[in-house]
Amino acid sequence: MAYFFLDDSKHHYAGFSLAAFVICETDPTDHVEAIFRDLGFDPGGFEYKSSAKMADDNRLRQLRAALKNYISRKCKISICVVNGDNRLGPAALKLLHCALSHPSLEGHDHEVFFDEGLFPSVKSATDPASRENKFGQCKMHFEQDSRNHVGIQLADVAAHTCSTMLLETLGHVTKKVVLSVPGDSVYDGQEVGLGFEMWAGMRYALLSMTKQHPKNDFELATVDVFPWGLFIDESTSEPIAAAAKQRFGENYLGCIH
């Protein structure tokens, strides 16, 4: 059994929105709330939002880093890309269908939580979901408040991170960051693109499968994310679809030194 949590990140100026499932083997609530408490946040009253200004708030930056680390170590990520945001709900259902075909998830019972605002109504979500046989293994929870389900807050982190990676691929983000990796003679103090930093921290979480017939050592260290961990909606423009496939379709898991 797995727990799926979905949230989205909208970027109308760039022509896309992205939604991400964070997939956990167990209910992440106790672990995430412990992370909150360790950094001085009250889980009962605080809600993590990637849109919050963090430049002058060291605790929030530490929390963001801790949540990313938790996702990287304990979860898997599956994402969908759409034009605008009207298609986010239907695309999320198609993404779920793709993810459930992964051997680690197929044939098991799951709990699936969707953030608010992805569908016009609960009925508009439950009707198409009820017609899909593969969803018979899932207990669906539509229009959920992220304040009550911290797993959705993890999905917020994943959606924002993956959106930033796609924005960089499209040329909208050019920010550089200096890595702080004490003890790493290669990367400590090195300036890299923000998207590279985010990818390096999240790459092991993307839902994927090893290539069936790798042709060389590089392919041996590269996994296929598409179609289990990536769904590109038909509404997506060709340039953005191509950029999403380039950024997320495959994932290199080998040494990056």
Side-chain angles (χ1 to χ4, degrees), residues 130-144:
S130 67
R131 293 192 292 268
E132 175 51 62
N133 291 335
K134 193 176 284 287
F135 295 163
Q137 68 195 81
C138 297
K139 185 175 182 180
M140 302 289 215
H141 307 270
F142 296 107
E143 292 295 303
Q144 297 298 301

Side-chain angles (χ1 to χ4, degrees), residues 6 32 34 66 87 89 100 112 116 119 135 141 148 179 189 220 253:
L6 185 119
V32 176
R87 293 280 303 162
L100 291 174
V112 187
E116 297 171 302
F119 298 90
F135 295 163
H141 307 270
N148 299 328
L179 298 178
L220 191 63
L253 298 181

Side-chain angles (χ1 to χ4, degrees), residues 101-214:
S101 297
H102 192 277
S104 67
L105 299 168
E106 192 170 23
H108 299 284
D109 295 331
H110 304 296
E111 299 264 359
V112 187
F113 298 82
F114 296 80
D115 192 30
E116 297 171 302
L118 294 164
F119 298 90
S121 66
V122 172
K123 187 176 187 300
S124 68
T126 55
D127 283 355
S130 67
R131 293 192 292 268
E132 175 51 62
N133 291 335
K134 193 176 284 287
F135 295 163
Q137 68 195 81
C138 297
K139 185 175 182 180
M140 302 289 215
H141 307 270
F142 296 107
E143 292 295 303
Q144 297 298 301
D145 189 336
S146 57
R147 289 172 295 184
N148 299 328
H149 298 285
V150 294
I152 296 177
Q153 296 177 47
L154 289 176
D156 173 282
V157 175
H160 180 265
T161 300
C162 291
S163 288
T164 303
M165 291 163 60
L166 182 53
L167 286 168
E168 184 183 69
T169 301
L170 290 165
H172 295 291
V173 171
T174 58
K175 181 179 178 179
K176 302 291 184 180
V177 295
V178 177
L179 298 178
S180 176
V181 192
D184 189 320
S185 60
V186 176
Y187 281 109
D188 190 37
Q190 183 174 332
E191 186 178 70
V192 299
L194 179 61
F196 176 88
E197 180 204 34
M198 291 185 165
W199 167 78
M202 286 287 201
R203 62 184 179 140
Y204 293 107
L206 289 167
L207 186 64
S208 62
M209 287 283 291
T210 56
K211 288 185 173 296
Q212 292 296 308
H213 305 289

